[in-house]
Amino acid sequence: MPMKGLERYDRINKGEAVAKFQIARRMEVEKTDSFEEMLELHRELKGKFRRLLAEKDSADFLDTALPEYSYLHIKIDILKEMLKECCFCERRCGVNRYKKKGFCKTGVKSYYSSEFLHMGEEPELIPSHTIFFNRCTFACVFCQNYDIVYDEDYEVVPENLAKAIDIRFVQGSRNVNFVGGNPDQHAHTILEILSHVELNVPVVWNSNMYHSSELAEIVEDVVDVWLADFKYGNDECAKKYSKVKNYWKVVTRNFLRAKDNGELLIRHLVMPNHLECCTEPVVKWVAEELGRDVRFNLMFQYHPTFRAFEYPEIARRLTQEEMKKALEITRKYGLVNLV
Ligand code: SF4
């Protein structure tokens, strides 16, 4: 029985539907060098893409010949232009990443730490071919992956990772899961990787949801499942622990857009002493705005690490009482589709 909310993902897994990037890759587009023309063409083509998604979403579409230049390629070229004044995320550094690095310390090249079949994700995702990219657009003081985020391990060679995605799929992966850190600052690299993937692999984008609308406009047509973190219930906590501004406005905007452009699996990491200020507003908003049966993972595995010990209120694990309270909150607002 497929889990409610991830029906299309389930159909791709069964080979009945087509991963979005494989549709985008089969839409022929005329190449242009002007950024303005690329954006205009992309806007026009979005309607065609949506029609194909609605009408041709069956495995037969994979038999369509691959054009030399496609809707996926124009996206890659747009992202490469956007790098010249980066606004991939709402930090909007505006730096030219061909010459300089912004807050996320990512230039034009992308680095990753590891790729493997992950068995520790949500049940419907495993085995998940997880690719851990270095760097992040957040600076969480409790970062659970700080060894990955603050380093550059292996330079990404798109053709090689694409081959790895195909091989892992043959080995049994149910998806490719782009994570970090965060995938957003690597969007140009990730779409380039996908342009070389042969097989029908669902794409999971494991994101902090702090991306810009400009980035969403491009990447939403390749993301099948938004594996989306909803960390904070207000801007103060977001600023204090992750150094981000306007958190609530940005992520709620992005969640609503993601709901209209893919399927959602939401994660909320419950933090000690943050049930009233974070867990409750997050659960309430999700239930009211995204629907009570959205797939929701209430995560209890928080442990103080990295710089969390500098903040006494989060320098411990959750108590049994806090876990019980978090579950009561989800019941109070009627969230039913819990992992
Ligand atoms: S991805 Fe975000 S943090 Fe990184 S350079 Fe671009 S705007 Fe800045």
Side-chain angles (χ1 to χ4, degrees), residues 179-198:
V179 63
N182 199 52
D184 302 340
Q185 68 278 12
H186 302 292
H188 59 300
T189 307
I190 293 173
L191 268 59
E192 187 149 7
I193 293 168
L194 291 173
S195 73
H196 299 286
V197 173
E198 297 298 331

Side-chain angles (χ1 to χ4, degrees), residues 187-240:
H188 59 300
T189 307
I190 293 173
L191 268 59
E192 187 149 7
I193 293 168
L194 291 173
S195 73
H196 299 286
V197 173
E198 297 298 331
L199 301 177
N200 188 28
V201 189
V203 170
V204 174
W205 198 271
N206 191 338
S207 166
N208 60 25
M209 301 303 273
Y210 197 66
H211 49 268
S212 64
S213 296
E214 293 92 318
L215 191 79
E217 176 77 6
I218 306 300
V219 302
E220 64 195 5
D221 302 328
V222 305
V223 176
D224 296 296
V225 177
W226 296 86
L227 182 54
D229 286 328
F230 201 157
K231 283 190 193 331
Y232 304 110
N234 65 82
D235 289 349
E236 291 69 39
C237 294
K239 187 150 191 270
K240 182 173 182 185

Side-chain angles (χ1 to χ4, degrees), residues 50 55 61 82 93 113 129 138 201 205 261 278 307 339:
R50 288 193 174 151
E55 292 162 14
F61 191 71
M82 282 168 64
C93 301
S113 167
H129 180 205
F138 274 13
V201 189
W205 198 271
N261 288 284
C278 292
R307 293 181 46 219
V339 177

Side-chain angles (χ1 to χ4, degrees), residues 21 39 52 68 87 222 289 312:
F21 79 93
L39 291 174
L52 282 174
E68 208 160 295
C87 62
V222 305
E289 304 297 331

Side-chain angles (χ1 to χ4, degrees), residues 237-256:
C237 294
K239 187 150 191 270
K240 182 173 182 185
Y241 301 120
S242 293
K243 296 191 179 67
V244 285
K245 291 183 193 155
N246 297 325
Y247 177 82
W248 184 261
K249 194 172 158 202
V250 171
V251 301
T252 51
R253 176 197 72 198
N254 287 342
F255 270 107
L256 290 171

Side-chain angles (χ1 to χ4, degrees), residues 49-147:
F49 175 79
R50 288 193 174 151
R51 275 197 303 283
L52 282 174
L53 195 59
E55 292 162 14
K56 302 274 182 197
D57 193 15
S58 80
D60 299 346
F61 191 71
L62 291 168
D63 296 335
T64 309
L66 289 171
E68 208 160 295
Y69 192 77
S70 70
Y71 188 48
L72 184 57
H73 290 103
I74 199 170
K75 286 176 180 290
I76 298 166
D77 285 343
I78 289 172
L79 291 172
K80 285 181 176 171
E81 280 297 311
M82 282 168 64
L83 284 175
K84 292 178 182 168
E85 209 176 324
C86 188
C87 62
F88 278 18
C89 82
E90 286 291 350
R91 289 198 185 273
R92 297 190 175 272
C93 301
V95 293
N96 181 345
R97 284 176 49 187
Y98 290 90
K99 296 183 179 155
K100 221 176 142 189
K101 291 175 180 174
F103 181 91
C104 64
K105 295 196 169 37
T106 312
V108 67
K109 287 183 183 168
S110 295
Y111 293 82
Y112 74 107
S113 167
S114 59
E115 59 79 24
F116 57 96
L117 289 182
H118 198 328
M119 300 303 289
E121 304 285 61
E122 285 78 356
E124 53 271 79
L125 299 184
I126 59 172
S128 180
H129 180 205
T130 315
I131 302 178
F132 282 91
F133 284 84
N134 295 121
R135 304 300 187 193
C136 190
T137 55
F138 274 13
C140 304
V141 297
F142 54 86
C143 182
Q144 317 272 297
N145 284 347
Y146 66 92
D147 51 334

